[in-house]
Amino acid sequence: MALVPYEEGRALQGLRRPTATYRFAGRTVRIRQDWERRGVAAVVWDAAVVLSAYLEMGGIDLRDRSVIELGAGTGLLGIVATLLGARVTITDREPALEFLESNVWANLPSELHARAVVKELTWGKDLGSFPPGAFDFILGADIIYLEETFAELLRTLEHLCSEQTVILLSCRIRYERDNNFLKMLKGRFSVSEVHYDYSKDVHIYKAQRHSHNDDF
Ligand SMILES: C[S@@+](CC[C@H](N)C(=O)[O-])C[C@H]1O[C@@H](n2cnc3c(N)ncnc32)[C@H](O)[C@@H]1O
C-alpha cells in the first residue's frame, strides 16, 4: 500500500490552516481544509494551485467548454475552472463528496451554480454513468500516487476521452512508480510536459489520443 502523499501530508500537518485563501479569476477563493479528520482529500495540494494558475494564465479559453475533474479533493481546481467559464463536473470518491460539495457551493456565486456538478466517480467504476468522450478537458491534480489505482485511472481517462479531448494532469514526481504511470499513459496517449513549477516542484502534462489535432 502506497503511503505517499500521506507521508507528505503528515509532515505538513502543523502547517495546514483550517482555511486556505487564494485569488483566482478576480475572486477570492476560500477553501476549508481538515487533514486531521478527513485526510488526503481534504487539503489543497500544490498541484491543484499550480494547475489552477496555469489555466488562468496559460491562454486556454475555458469559456463554455465541458470539463471533468478527477480526484478533486477540496475542489479548488474545479472551482477555478468554473469561475473561468467552463461547465464542470467535479468528481471524487464517495467519502470525499460531502466536504467537496461544501467547498464548491461556498465558493461559486449563485449565478454559476448551474455550471457545476459534484458527482461520485471512483476510477474504473460505473463509467457508464459518464458519457464516453463527452468532455473537452479532463483535469487532475495530484492524482498519480496510488499504484493500485493506475490501471483503473487509465481506463477512466480512455473512457472519458474523445479524439479532441485534452487531458491536463499536474503532479509532483515523488517515486519511480509515478514515472511508471506516465509510461503507461504514453502507451495510450500522446503526452508532453507543458509546464514545470520549480518553486513547488510540480509538473503539468498534457495528454491526447494518438491521432489528434495539437491545438488547445
Ligand atoms: C492527493 S489528493 C489531491 C486532491 C486535489 N486534486 C488537490 O490536488 O488538492 C488525491 C485525490 O484523489 C482521490 N482519489 C484517490 N483514489 C481515487 C479513486 N480510486 N477514484 C477517485 N478518486 C480517488 C482522493 O480522494 C483525493 O481527493
Side-chain angles (χ1 to χ4, degrees):
M1 173 73 183
L3 288 175
V4 168
Y6 301 102
E7 293 154 359
E8 196 176 298
R10 270 196 286 277
L12 292 169
Q13 200 163 336
L15 302 175
R16 297 280 185 201
R17 289 153 292 149
T19 305
T21 304
Y22 305 93
R23 188 91 188 149
F24 282 112
R27 288 181 179 271
T28 300
V29 179
R30 289 191 184 82
I31 302 289
R32 279 202 305 133
Q33 305 190 102
D34 188 358
W35 168 263
E36 278 77 13
R37 288 198 311 135
R38 297 171 192 265
V40 74
V43 293
V44 179
W45 296 88
D46 285 341
V49 180
V50 171
L51 186 46
S52 295
Y54 180 81
L55 291 181
E56 185 174 40
M57 307 300 292
I60 303 171
D61 188 355
L62 286 181
R63 282 173 300 174
D64 275 329
R65 310 301 292 275
S66 63
V67 171
I68 185 165
E69 183 187 5
L70 306 180
T74 60
L76 173 69
L77 180 57
I79 290 165
V80 172
T82 312
L83 292 175
L84 291 171
R87 290 173 278 108
V88 188
T89 302
I90 303 173
T91 72
D92 207 306
R93 296 165 61 241
E94 197 281 330
L97 291 186
E98 186 191 350
F99 198 68
L100 172 59
E101 284 193 307
S102 70
N103 271 314
V104 168
W105 305 131
N107 280 289
L108 290 180
S110 54
E111 67 271 20
L112 294 184
H113 281 194
R115 300 186 73 86
V117 175
V118 177
K119 199 168 162 182
E120 178 182 356
L121 197 172
T122 299
W123 304 327
K125 305 277 182 310
D126 298 326
L127 292 179
S129 61
F130 294 85
F135 296 95
D136 297 314
F137 289 90
I138 302 171
L139 305 178
D142 213 337
I143 60 172
I144 305 167
Y145 68 107
L146 291 171
E147 199 162 27
E148 61 270 27
T149 67
F150 286 176
E152 295 296 82
L153 177 55
L154 204 55
R155 205 156 75 76
T156 304
L157 293 173
E158 287 193 290
H159 173 82
L160 296 171
C161 210
S162 73
E163 297 273 313
Q164 282 72 40
T165 306
V166 174
I167 303 169
L168 290 171
L169 299 175
S170 60
C171 62
R172 180 168 294 150
I173 302 293
R174 299 179 176 96
Y175 286 101
E176 193 48 36
R177 59 176 171 260
D178 305 343
N179 278 320
N180 290 342
F181 178 81
L182 292 173
K183 283 184 200 141
M184 290 166 71
L185 190 69
K186 285 175 184 161
R188 312 284 180 87
F189 298 92
S190 298
V191 181
S192 58
E193 182 167 353
V194 292
H195 183 69
Y196 176 63
D197 184 308
Y198 286 91
S199 65
K200 292 190 161 49
D201 186 22
V202 168
H203 305 258
I204 300 178
Y205 297 96
K206 178 175 96 165
Q208 288 178 278
R209 282 203 189 277
H210 281 307
S211 54
H212 64 79
N213 170 350
D214 210 23
D215 298 332
F216 272 112

